[in-house]
Amino acid sequence: MKRLSILLLMLLCATICVAQSTRVRGRVTDMEGNPLAFASVVFKGTTVGMMTDEEGLFSLETREAVDTLQVMMMGYISQERAVKRAAYSEHHFKLQTADFAIDQVVVTPGENPAFPILDRVIERKKRNNPDHYDSYTTETYTKMELGLTNIKEEFKNKRMQRNFGFIFEYVDTSALTGRRYLPAMISETKADYYHALSPSVDREVIRANRVSGVEDTFSIAQFTGQMPGNVNFYHNFIDIFNVRFASPLADGGRMFYNYFLIDSLEIEGRKSYKIRFHPRSLASPVLDGEMHIDAESYALKNVSARLPRRSNINWIKHLVLENENEPVDSLHWMRRRDRVQAEFTISMRDSSKLTSFIGTREVAYSNTRIGVEIPEEVLRMDNNVYVEAREEVQDDAFWNEVRPYALSEREQGIYHMVDSIQRAPLYRNIYTTINMFIVGHYNTKYIGIGPYYKLASFNDLEGFRPQLGGRTTANFSRRVRLSAYGAYGTKDERWKGGAGVELMFGKRLTRKLTIRGAHDVMQLGAGANALTESNILSSIFSRGDQRLSMVDRGEIQYEHEWIHGVSTFLTGQMRRIYSNRYVPMALPGNEVRLIESVDDASVSVGVRLSKNEKIYRSAFDKNSLGSIYPILTLSATAGLKNALRDSPEYYRVDGSIFYRPELPPLGHSEIMLQAGQIWGDVPYPLLKLHEGNGTYFYDPYAFSCMDYYEFASDRWVACFFEHHFGGVLLGKIPLLKRLKLREVLVAKGVWGTLSEQNDGSATNTPAPLRFPVGLGSVSKPYFEAGFGIENIFRLVRVDFIWRLSHREAVPGGPKPQNFSINASLHLDF
């Protein structure tokens, strides 16, 4: 659910649509109706134009004052047609072949004339790419708008007309798809952007931000500025929507594209080359489009690129990236405008009538200064996107002054329209229901009931388990969140429950105190991403290896985020873990002497370090959107002797590092390394119980073929590795490439040891407790490996994992699982 909500937020923040410009769409064919690819379509008298795609389609949009559309192609008679200014129109052209006599032409082999130009562009990247300038500052204005397409006539029924009849006055037509859309959200952001190489700074300071229908704009403001849409074609790969597209200006661009030198022409008094690029294959994420290269400096003047049809990209039917640059002085070029247009949909078929999201995101740059010093107060800021919006600059007069162009009456009315929609009772009901599936709770004004996926579950220990819980919402308080739940097991006939309170002392940088307590079952040795114990899915997809323990636990934790990327934690915890028939606790010796429980009282300190990590922050929670750098976590724990009856004294350190290296065009890897050690005599529930998987759901940080309570250590090293090829292999197989499947390689391993005083595998062990049957050491390393197929129906991933070691059963223990099939759901682009 967290991943779903994050992706939906990214969708919301990365898609918009610009209205009240001149928009045209159409097709170019010959007189017989055959599509003409690579025909040039331009607004006459401007540089706004494009080449038709392989189906002869084109779509253009501009705010410039234009009135004529021109179509040209070698060997055909050019045509012109008047267009409606500041409106949408469709124009279809049939070109007639031109009759002319030419002498004999001899074609000889030679170098592609586009290659020398591209070589010069690559040679001069450092000179022309703003990212390589020593320093610069620029002002940005970003406008975003979200719209809905395919609004059916049935939508205009009496009930809808009663609640939302006024919104149909705002319906418009998109040049991207040629379909009518209804604006649903508009956002404006005014910011200053700072860049320097030494010290390394790429920082955006948001001076003002407003979003239609949103009172607290801080959470949205983190994503509505310039940074998420910073598309730099000088980079070898363009990262957008978590997809890395090969840039047409990549150093190895010829691996991905065919290039065609179309023309050389004068633009604003400077000669430029017009180059068309077309993908060689769709096995890797690529684009299709054209660019203009300045003939004097070999800088990129402008580029228009779109997503080719039949690309192995999910949820995006149309995508257009536009970039315009201009010379700031005789040596430097700078961005003038960036634009992202996209349509997000469930169905990729052109005939689909399903409602989809559509829009563009536009950034205008102004007042660029090269070589200036970065202010000290900016250098001291702790986040690459720093929100400094003030209430006094949120009025209409301020926005009318800072916009590079005026909003149309339709655009200005969207703010009022969205606010009016949100006051409608029907909207609130629809929003509450959708929000429940994303956040897990059905939110009333002050109380959220849930999580819904824990309302009912079942397991061997408890039998059928109904549960009811709730928590306060941000409307109750943005500083304090209270939560509680209760549950009952029909088999063990015991009540369970828990409660907690969260106190927020800071939001821009997290300063949070959490106090919680519970009397409930836990699965010791579960992976960090495992389904929670009372999740209905963990019941339905259990493979019969649930070994739950009743635990009384209390915890107090304080998190202090010092700067962005540096957080420390201070935690105090008390636990009483009870014995049962599935997890027996027996004292050493020949006789079976069971004890009721073991106790644990501890304090721990931890630190989490990251660099340039993208974080989404809500009122009480924050979620990582990843970083291109490794993320390091360290913790140290001390057990407090006799603080809770018989709690032992021990010391423990844990560390982990996560890294997601990009290896285009071969996809990306995900690597997790873990290590730790325990000093002292502890009962086996307090050892490192290595992560098993008791369900058919795939857990990336658990061992698919390992059972719970199979291996324990007091010193260990583990590695979890995945490589996602992104369809680069299956996309080349003729019978499979249409399915757009993607391949994954999986390898996991762990090595650990047990000191003599903690090895409870022997009958007369010196350890505090004997190990249950089947639990042992992993001094002989455990390995498993396999492969997965993901993007099945664009959602499902299936993994096939083989155990490579410890394949034989231990004496008296259960037969190991040497092969496992796991499934999981992934909402990825």
Side-chain angles (χ1 to χ4, degrees):
M1 290 295 102
K2 287 182 179 179
R3 181 168 180 80
L4 176 61
S5 61
I6 290 171
L7 286 171
L8 288 178
L9 175 71
M10 292 174 64
L11 181 152
L12 174 69
C13 295
T15 61
I16 51 167
C17 41
V18 178
Q20 294 310 295
S21 52
T22 301
R23 288 152 287 135
V24 297
R25 180 178 172 84
R27 182 190 294 267
V28 180
T29 66
D30 60 18
M31 298 303 294
E32 285 72 39
N34 300 311
L36 295 178
F38 306 144
S40 176
V41 184
V42 297
F43 286 118
K44 188 175 182 179
T46 74
T47 61
V48 180
M50 67 175 295
M51 293 288 187
T52 56
D53 63 15
E54 62 270 19
E55 297 185 12
L57 296 173
F58 68 88
S59 62
L60 294 175
E61 186 169 351
T62 184
R63 287 184 178 271
E64 297 185 29
V66 295
D67 56 14
T68 304
L69 188 65
Q70 187 178 47
V71 177
M72 298 170 289
M73 188 171 183
M74 182 70 69
Y76 293 86
I77 300 175
S78 301
Q79 289 189 21
E80 295 182 0
R81 193 169 298 176
V83 298
K84 297 179 182 178
R85 183 177 298 180
Y88 172 82
S89 57
E90 291 190 2
H91 300 274
H92 303 290
F93 294 85
K94 285 191 173 184
L95 300 187
Q96 185 176 357
T97 55
D99 295 326
F100 53 90
I102 60 174
D103 294 331
Q104 180 180 359
V105 176
V106 178
V107 180
T108 59
E111 184 181 28
N112 186 328
F115 288 171
I117 300 172
L118 293 170
D119 290 340
R120 291 288 187 90
V121 173
I122 293 172
E123 289 174 4
R124 301 191 184 189
K125 274 187 179 183
K126 288 188 176 181
R127 180 186 302 180
N128 296 320
N129 183 359
D131 288 357
H132 290 289
Y133 297 166
D134 290 338
S135 67
Y136 70 82
T137 67
T138 187
E139 297 179 14
T140 64
Y141 167 81
T142 304
K143 186 167 75 70
M144 299 180 15
E145 193 177 309
L146 180 68
L148 301 176
T149 66
N150 287 336
I151 304 298
K152 300 182 177 63
E153 288 299 320
E154 302 88 80
F155 187 81
K156 301 181 182 181
N157 58 40
K158 291 182 179 180
R159 188 180 184 190
M160 290 296 181
Q161 286 286 352
R162 183 170 62 253
N163 285 276
F164 306 119
F166 61 91
I167 68 176
F168 295 101
E169 301 173 6
Y170 297 89
V171 171
D172 208 337
T173 306
S174 167
L176 182 67
T177 65
R179 296 180 179 179
R180 293 172 66 78
Y181 69 89
L182 176 67
M185 185 277 286
I186 188 171
S187 161
E188 295 178 279
T189 301
K190 182 64 177 177
D192 295 330
Y193 185 73
Y194 301 88
H195 164 82
L197 293 182
S198 181
S200 179
V201 174
D202 281 287
R203 184 155 295 151
E204 181 187 26
V205 181
I206 296 177
R207 305 299 185 185
N209 174 263
R210 68 172 179 176
V211 184
S212 58
V214 177
E215 296 177 3
D216 177 20
T217 62
F218 173 75
S219 297
I220 299 297
Q222 301 168 83
F223 299 95
T224 56
Q226 180 263 351
M227 292 292 286
N230 185 3
V231 177
N232 191 333
F233 281 85
Y234 285 114
H235 292 170
N236 288 331
F237 294 89
I238 300 169
D239 193 350
I240 186 167
F241 306 126
N242 286 335
V243 179
R244 290 176 65 85
F245 293 92
S247 171
L249 295 181
D251 295 347
R254 299 177 198 180
M255 295 172 53
F256 302 96
Y257 296 102
N258 293 315
Y259 296 92
F260 308 91
L261 178 60
I262 302 298
D263 200 358
S264 61
L265 62 161
E266 293 281 335
I267 301 178
E268 299 175 356
R270 298 179 69 104
K271 181 181 177 180
S272 66
Y273 301 109
K274 187 175 186 178
I275 296 178
R276 166 82 179 172
F277 52 92
H278 188 71
R280 298 170 63 94
S281 169
L282 299 181
S284 301
V286 288
L287 299 165
D288 189 9
E290 60 193 50
M291 53 190 169
H292 288 90
I293 304 298
D294 183 70
E296 179 181 340
S297 64
Y298 290 93
L300 175 65
K301 185 168 183 60
N302 59 61
V303 59
S304 176
R306 55 187 175 270
L307 180 70
R309 291 173 179 267
R310 297 181 295 277
S311 295
N312 190 358
I313 306 296
N314 293 329
W315 318 114
I316 304 176
K317 182 185 291 187
H318 296 93
L319 173 66
V320 174
L321 308 179
E322 297 177 358
N323 166 251
E324 296 179 10
N325 304 289
E326 62 183 355
V328 178
D329 52 41
S330 60
L331 297 176
H332 301 94
W333 285 69
M334 186 61 194
R335 300 181 186 91
R336 179 167 63 185
R337 185 180 71 100
D338 284 328
R339 193 186 206 185
V340 178
Q341 294 180 287
E343 180 188 13
F344 296 82
T345 181
I346 295 176
S347 173
M348 308 300 286
R349 293 181 293 107
D350 291 334
S351 59
S352 173
K353 301 300 182 182
L354 294 176
T355 299
S356 60
F357 298 94
I358 188 173
T360 58
R361 178 181 191 280
E362 188 169 12
V363 185
Y365 302 84
S366 60
N367 296 330
T368 298
R369 296 181 297 161
I370 307 293
V372 299
E373 292 188 6
I374 307 300
E376 281 295 326
E377 61 270 21
V378 175
L379 293 176
R380 289 194 299 267
M381 292 176 181
D382 50 29
N383 199 335
N384 283 347
V385 181
Y386 189 84
V387 182
E388 199 180 71
R390 303 183 301 274
E391 292 296 330
E392 62 268 22
V393 298
Q394 304 299 308
D395 58 12
D396 290 338
F398 169 82
W399 290 106
N400 290 335
E401 181 180 349
V402 301
R403 292 187 189 107
Y405 46 79
L407 294 185
S408 66
E409 292 184 7
R410 185 189 301 269
E411 290 173 315
Q412 294 175 11
I414 292 175
Y415 282 103
H416 172 73
M417 180 199 73
V418 174
D419 291 337
S420 299
I421 288 176
Q422 294 189 351
R423 288 192 293 267
L426 180 59
Y427 168 86
R428 297 304 308 172
N429 293 336
I430 296 173
Y431 173 84
T432 301
T433 302
I434 295 176
N435 186 66
M436 178 189 71
F437 286 100
I438 296 176
V439 303
H441 288 73
Y442 183 87
N443 287 334
T444 63
K445 185 173 183 180
Y446 297 116
I447 300 294
I449 302 171
Y452 65 85
Y453 49 83
K454 291 189 175 184
L455 292 176
S457 61
F458 52 90
N459 57 71
D460 293 337
L461 180 65
E462 298 176 281
F464 176 68
R465 172 192 166 116
Q467 176 177 315
L468 183 63
R471 67 184 185 187
T472 58
T473 67
N475 288 326
F476 173 83
S477 173
R478 292 187 175 273
R479 293 286 183 181
V480 180
R481 181 164 71 178
L482 308 175
S483 60
Y485 73 93
Y488 181 77
T490 58
K491 186 174 181 179
D492 63 359
E493 298 181 343
R494 299 179 68 176
W495 287 96
K496 295 93 177 174
V501 57
E502 299 163 81
L503 305 176
M504 294 294 297
F505 302 105
K507 180 178 178 182
R508 295 176 185 265
L509 291 174
T510 301
R511 312 296 173 62
K512 179 181 177 181
L513 177 67
T514 303
I515 304 172
R516 60 171 65 96
H519 171 73
D520 205 348
V521 297
M522 284 186 64
Q523 177 61 69
L524 303 180
N529 285 23
L531 295 172
T532 52
E533 293 83 358
S534 54
N535 190 319
I536 183 60
L537 294 179
S538 66
S539 301
I540 296 174
F541 294 101
S542 171
R543 66 184 192 197
D545 184 37
Q546 290 180 317
R547 302 176 71 176
L548 301 172
S549 300
M550 177 64 70
V551 180
D552 292 336
R553 61 188 184 274
E555 181 181 88
I556 180 170
Q557 182 183 77
Y558 177 68
E559 176 186 357
H560 191 101
E561 188 175 9
W562 300 91
I563 60 175
H564 182 72
V566 179
S567 296
T568 55
F569 305 85
L570 178 62
T571 306
Q573 180 179 250
M574 304 184 78
R575 294 187 298 169
R576 177 163 292 159
I577 306 170
Y578 291 92
S579 172
N580 61 55
R581 62 185 180 276
Y582 302 107
V583 188
M585 299 178 185
L587 295 173
N590 294 321
E591 297 181 5
V592 178
R593 295 176 296 160
L594 298 177
I595 63 173
E596 181 185 12
S597 62
V598 298
D599 296 330
D600 175 36
S602 64
V603 292
S604 63
V605 294
V607 60
R608 186 179 187 276
L609 305 174
S610 65
K611 180 180 178 181
N612 293 349
E613 183 180 15
K614 296 179 182 179
I615 299 289
Y616 169 63
R617 303 174 190 267
S618 58
F620 293 95
D621 303 303
K622 65 178 181 180
N623 294 284
S624 172
L625 301 182
S627 171
I628 62 173
Y629 300 99
I631 298 174
L632 176 67
T633 304
L634 297 170
S635 67
T637 303
L640 306 178
K641 186 175 182 179
N642 299 330
L644 183 64
R645 202 167 65 182
D646 297 321
S647 57
E649 178 183 1
Y650 65 92
Y651 301 94
R652 172 172 174 160
V653 294
D654 294 85
S656 69
I657 184 168
F658 175 78
Y659 185 39
R660 188 183 188 273
E662 298 284 349
L663 303 169
L666 298 178
H668 72 273
S669 296
E670 296 179 5
I671 306 169
M672 172 70 81
L673 296 176
Q674 299 175 345
Q677 185 166 348
I678 300 172
W679 294 269
D681 303 344
V682 297
Y684 73 83
L686 304 187
L687 292 173
K688 172 64 175 180
L689 298 172
H690 294 292
E691 297 86 351
N693 189 348
T695 72
Y696 291 105
F697 260 77
Y698 179 75
D699 183 350
Y701 307 127
F703 298 96
S704 298
C705 295
M706 184 185 294
D707 292 330
Y708 294 128
Y709 292 97
E710 188 171 353
F711 298 107
S713 302
D714 56 16
R715 184 173 55 169
W716 66 94
V717 176
C719 178
F720 302 90
F721 172 82
E722 292 183 5
H723 186 80
H724 300 253
F725 289 92
V728 70
L729 302 177
L730 295 178
K732 298 182 183 299
I733 301 176
L735 297 179
L736 294 178
K737 64 181 181 180
R738 294 182 64 88
L739 299 177
K740 299 183 179 181
L741 302 177
R742 302 171 184 175
E743 53 286 300
V744 185
L745 178 66
V746 179
K748 302 177 182 181
V750 59
W751 169 83
T753 61
L754 281 169
S755 57
E756 183 179 356
Q757 67 268 26
N758 287 324
D759 187 353
S761 58
T763 302
N764 293 310
T765 174
L769 291 178
R770 290 171 56 181
F771 284 177
V773 175
L775 180 61
S777 170
V778 69
S779 56
K780 174 187 174 182
Y782 172 94
F783 293 107
E784 64 181 29
F787 68 91
I789 304 296
E790 59 184 353
N791 209 43
I792 303 171
F793 307 117
R794 288 184 287 162
L795 282 174
V796 179
R797 168 177 165 179
V798 178
D799 288 86
F800 305 87
I801 310 295
W802 286 265
R803 181 190 284 232
L804 303 181
S805 62
H806 294 274
R807 295 177 60 88
E808 302 297 329
V810 299
K815 182 180 179 181
Q817 181 168 324
N818 292 326
F819 174 70
S820 176
I821 298 178
N822 297 106
S824 53
L825 300 177
H826 297 265
L827 189 64
D828 295 321
F829 288 104

